[in-house]
Amino acid sequence: MAFSVVPTPVSGTAPRRPPESAALSETDLALVEALQVAPRAPWTRIAAAVGIDATTAARRWNWLVRGGLAWMTAYAAPPGMPVAYIDVACRPDRLHDVGARLSATPHVFSIERTAGPYQLLLYVIARDLTDLDAFVTDCLGRTDGVRDGVSAVRVSLRSRTYREGSGWLVHALDSEQRRRLVPRDGHPAPRHVPPLGEADARLLRALGGDGRRPCAELARECALSETTVRRRLARLQRHPDVHFRCDVAQRAAGWPVIATYRLSVPADELAATGAALAALRETRLCVAVTGTANLLLSTWVRSTAECHALETRIRRRFPRLRVTERELTLHTLKRMGRLLDPQGRAIGHVPPGVARLAR
């Protein structure tokens, strides 16, 4: 059996570009956070929390989306499927080609070009460990431009998630504004979580490119009644394996630097350390992983100088923690299926999917 890399056509047209120096206003950032907290809330509720009217909120959001400065997506993250963080060493003359090829594959849901001995960091999801092994050996092992040798590819498997991108907030709202976004009669999380069905999968595929698509539009595309769509959407928003995620172009939002750390933490302190690091405002991703370094931490900061300050804070708080590696991201090529330009703005979408074996 050989692993089959099936590139997915990029959906969406190139958005209208604001000036490269465009920065998001405080109102824009507040709007983004409101949608992070309440992804499908009506514009009246979003606007009330932000302090603008509903028409202005909807119009401003549409401007952000058209410019690739912010976007909304939805996806399922089944707990049983392995997620791997794969470092890949590439030849410099083939780096762009390798990045473009891997960006077109659904199971590589995020890619960062990094400064260090490994030029690419891949975030990969597979059906099982057999499929993951096939991806590493049959795909990466045969990709022209990936360096030869046993040290050219390094795989770390996720064992526990403390925070991922859908849990990161802009922190432009105060506690009272966030309270307005959550209705007092909100439904609690269900005790029994039913498995996702085919209709749910169709809805999530339709929401992947735009998590705020109207119910009527979703009903037509998914061949469901509008009533069924509303009911299923309400359930999906409470499902622990489903994430509605509002993302933002990091440079325009004021966080131009991504710093990723490989940390070694004593096993008996791993859970407490992971939870504490996940609570930091800078943390975008914090996961326990396999390997010599058992914790992977990805942060957004405002300057390279902040990297040292952040690392110092972490070391003082956790004296037994050891930083084994630190690296900066030069360019995020893809984030949770969204293709990004060098400024971090969305320019296309490749729906995330699991790996497939060709027989």
Side-chain angles (χ1 to χ4, degrees):
M1 294 186 292
F3 191 90
S4 174
V5 176
V6 183
T8 297
V10 177
S11 62
T13 57
R16 300 175 188 175
R17 283 280 167 258
E20 291 200 359
S21 60
L24 300 188
S25 67
E26 287 300 317
T27 299
D28 293 331
L29 294 174
L31 180 58
V32 168
E33 184 173 347
L35 291 169
Q36 290 176 329
V37 174
R40 287 192 60 88
W43 286 119
T44 51
R45 195 193 309 163
I46 296 293
V50 175
I52 55 180
D53 63 81
T55 301
T56 300
R59 183 174 65 247
R60 193 63 186 176
W61 173 249
N62 289 334
W63 181 85
L64 292 173
V65 171
R66 287 198 306 271
L69 295 169
W71 55 94
M72 177 79 70
T73 191
Y75 57 93
M81 290 185 178
V83 172
Y85 306 94
I86 304 180
D87 296 293
V88 181
C90 300
R91 297 206 322 260
D93 62 323
R94 299 291 295 166
L95 184 55
H96 285 283
D97 293 337
V98 175
R101 173 181 171 85
L102 294 174
S103 293
T105 61
H107 46 280
V108 182
F109 57 88
S110 295
I111 305 179
E112 296 176 13
R113 197 158 68 225
T114 59
Y118 296 96
Q119 288 71 48
L120 293 177
L121 172 59
L122 314 180
Y123 298 63
V124 177
I125 187 169
R127 295 183 191 277
D128 51 34
L129 294 179
T130 301
D131 276 357
L132 180 61
D133 180 61
F135 170 72
V136 172
T137 57
D138 294 342
C139 176
L140 293 179
R142 299 177 183 178
T143 297
D144 182 25
V146 174
R147 291 186 184 275
D148 296 328
V150 295
S151 61
V153 175
R154 180 176 63 177
V155 181
S156 299
L157 282 168
R158 180 187 69 183
S159 58
R160 182 174 180 181
T161 301
Y162 300 103
R163 172 183 278 183
E164 57 115 31
S166 63
W168 180 84
L169 294 177
V170 171
H171 286 287
L173 301 177
D174 59 33
S175 58
E176 174 60 24
Q177 288 174 301
R178 294 193 194 102
R179 187 193 62 78
R180 294 177 188 174
L181 291 165
V182 182
R184 294 183 180 181
D185 59 349
H187 300 288
R191 293 183 180 180
H192 171 67
V193 180
L196 298 174
E198 176 54 33
D200 297 318
R202 294 204 305 273
L203 270 175
L204 287 171
R205 284 194 294 269
L207 290 164
D210 178 5
R212 284 189 64 87
R213 292 181 70 179
C215 289
E217 189 176 311
L218 293 169
R220 288 193 299 271
E221 180 169 330
C222 299
L224 299 169
S225 71
E226 195 167 335
T227 300
T228 299
V229 167
R230 292 183 186 279
R231 184 179 68 251
R232 287 186 174 271
L233 275 176
R235 185 169 68 89
L236 287 175
Q237 289 180 85
R238 303 192 304 273
H239 200 288
D241 298 339
V242 173
H243 301 279
F244 284 78
R245 173 166 163 167
C246 182
D247 252 315
V248 64
Q250 66 185 84
R251 291 177 186 267
W255 292 277
V257 178
I258 298 178
T260 301
Y261 301 90
R262 300 268 183 172
L263 309 173
S264 180
V265 181
D268 59 342
E269 298 178 11
L270 180 60
T273 303
L277 293 177
L280 297 177
R281 286 193 175 193
E282 297 90 342
T283 297
R284 284 279 299 190
L285 176 74
C286 184
V287 290
V289 294
T290 59
T292 304
N294 55 1
L295 201 61
L296 178 68
L297 176 70
S298 179
T299 62
W300 280 17
V301 294
R302 298 188 183 278
S303 68
T304 54
E306 285 192 14
C307 297
H308 177 71
L310 174 62
E311 186 176 331
T312 299
R313 281 164 47 205
I314 292 172
R315 289 281 290 118
R316 285 175 178 169
R317 184 170 179 182
F318 304 101
R320 296 181 66 193
L321 174 151
R322 185 167 61 91
V323 179
T324 64
E325 292 181 27
R326 56 184 68 77
E327 60 186 24
L328 297 181
T329 294
L330 303 176
H331 177 197
T332 300
L333 285 73
K334 185 180 185 183
R335 181 182 302 134
M336 194 48 70
R338 201 72 53 162
L339 302 177
L340 307 180
D341 71 6
Q343 298 299 316
R345 300 172 298 194
I347 55 175
H349 181 235
V350 178
V354 295
R356 298 192 295 278
L357 278 172
R359 299 179 183 272

